[in-house]
Amino acid sequence: MADAMELEAIEAAKARPDSSLTLSDEERGILEGASGPAPQLAMRIVVRMARILGARELVPVASAHIDGCLYHGDGGVEFAERLVSLGGKVGVPTTLNVGALDLLHPRRVRSAGHRREMALRQMRAYEALGCRPTWTCAPYQAGHRPERGQDVAWGESNAVVFANSVLGARTNRYGDFMDICCALAGRAPRTGLHLDENRRATVVVDTAVINPALRERDVFYPVLGTWLGATVDERVAVVTGLPETVTEDQLKAMGAASASSGAVGLFHVEGVTPEAPDLATALAGRAPEAVLTPGARELRRVRDALSTTGTLEMDAVALGSPHFSRDEFSLLEALLPREPFRIPFYVCTGRAEYQRLQQNGHLRRFEEVGVEIVADTCVVVAPILPARGSVLMTNSGKFAHYTPATTGYDVVYGSLEDCVRSAAAGRVTRDEGLWS
């Protein structure tokens, strides 16, 4: 299959690029094989995509984050291994998104035979291409933090939103195969969110009418993000009225939910994010196309829609989509009960955070109450949840969005505190006070 894909890509891109796409001498050299067969194949695919997107030129990228290392079928394995066989090595610093296995805890994922073998081959192939084995959907928590204004080629929707919005870097949503091609070629099409004109806000979202106490709470941000994605879709919004104390983890949760429920690749928060020191700057001095004011009742409906069942019975709790950060582990540790949880309790994180817990001696406290920390992957992309369960509780808008389709579980959404109390009690309990 990889050979057929390669031939198709080569034949499609072999033709002379359209006159509207201008290549530098270095880029043309890569296209003609001066840097070797793997960068040549990658550049042919990048050029072909640039032509499809109507880009006038390519942009050098400072780094890449690869979403294509998760096993979805043999073709993905064959493509990565083909690049390895051609001597491929990434040309820029590159991190890896989650795979289909927890390499630190091999027995945690219920996978065997051909599927397990191919999933492992795919992960190893990307390591062989020179990518850092971070295995996290939050590479910005593993030291991969591009600077403001840097062009990068990132995959994984939450990472893309975080890079654009929180860090002020520039990337489009690069899908499987395109992400690694950009990493090998060191280039991406200069289009979309790489361009100044596409980064200005066109929609204002005013949150001033929302209870200030709710705006301080973590549980609010996945709900606001879910509303944002469903409402603005691909448009760029600037959000006003959020506290200046909003944390990276809150913005992370908001961005992940907005990318899951819609197609948000960039949002601004007035007075908080790099490109929105004030409203006028975020709007580039222009009038907004729309001013939206989500109310308490509207957001309450969104919060309720994140749950797919009203039952008080539950079979598991899962946190960490995007992957849990150091600060989130500290918050969770402070909430842990003295007695073990009554139901399975999973926390997904990157191996960098897991190793920190090991090194600082905090891992034992989580293990004492039955917390299972999943690294390298997560419960919605790998068979980890109890096979006979039916209801999952989570504080993640992204988990809430994907869990029913990927695991067959129903979902109950609540705060971190709700999840801990519910797991300790063995049944759903939620604080409704701030939502009333």
Side-chain angles (χ1 to χ4, degrees), residues 105-300:
H105 312 96
R107 296 183 180 180
R108 186 151 287 163
V109 177
R110 295 189 306 276
S111 180
H114 179 77
R115 184 175 184 84
R116 186 178 189 87
E117 176 190 355
M118 296 302 278
L120 182 59
R121 280 173 54 181
Q122 186 161 352
M123 295 173 78
R124 295 309 187 202
Y126 278 98
E127 289 188 45
L129 290 170
C131 306
R132 282 180 55 203
T134 47
W135 307 122
T136 179
C137 59
Y140 43 86
Q141 294 172 180
H144 191 176
R145 297 173 69 92
E147 297 177 5
R148 177 180 176 178
Q150 277 191 327
D151 290 287
V152 298
W154 279 28
E156 202 329 280
S157 61
N158 103 80
V160 168
V161 180
F162 193 96
N164 280 315
S165 306
V166 183
L167 300 180
R170 300 184 170 209
T171 181
N172 292 315
R173 295 173 67 158
Y174 290 103
D176 294 4
F177 308 153
M178 185 63 181
D179 48 14
I180 190 62
C181 287
C182 291
L184 265 68
R187 300 292 191 280
R190 190 188 291 274
T191 186
L193 294 175
H194 291 290
L195 301 174
D196 289 344
E197 59 265 31
N198 295 330
R199 297 182 66 85
R200 75 173 185 89
T202 60
V203 177
V204 174
V205 174
D206 184 0
T207 66
V209 300
I210 305 300
N211 181 350
L214 181 57
R215 280 180 277 156
E216 296 281 351
R217 296 284 299 278
D218 293 349
V219 72
F220 171 68
Y221 287 88
V223 176
L224 179 61
T226 300
W227 175 89
L228 187 69
T231 305
V232 307
D233 197 38
E234 293 184 347
R235 294 178 293 175
V236 177
V238 54
V239 183
T240 66
L242 296 183
E244 292 183 0
T245 55
V246 62
T247 67
E248 275 200 3
D249 284 320
Q250 290 170 338
L251 295 176
K252 173 183 76 173
M254 175 179 160
S258 71
S260 300
S261 64
V264 172
L266 164 67
F267 64 80
H268 304 293
V269 176
E270 182 187 17
V272 175
T273 55
E275 296 170 75
D278 52 59
L279 190 59
T281 301
L283 292 166
R286 304 182 194 178
E289 297 174 1
V291 178
L292 307 175
T293 308
R297 291 183 180 179
E298 187 174 5
L299 290 177
R300 173 64 180 263

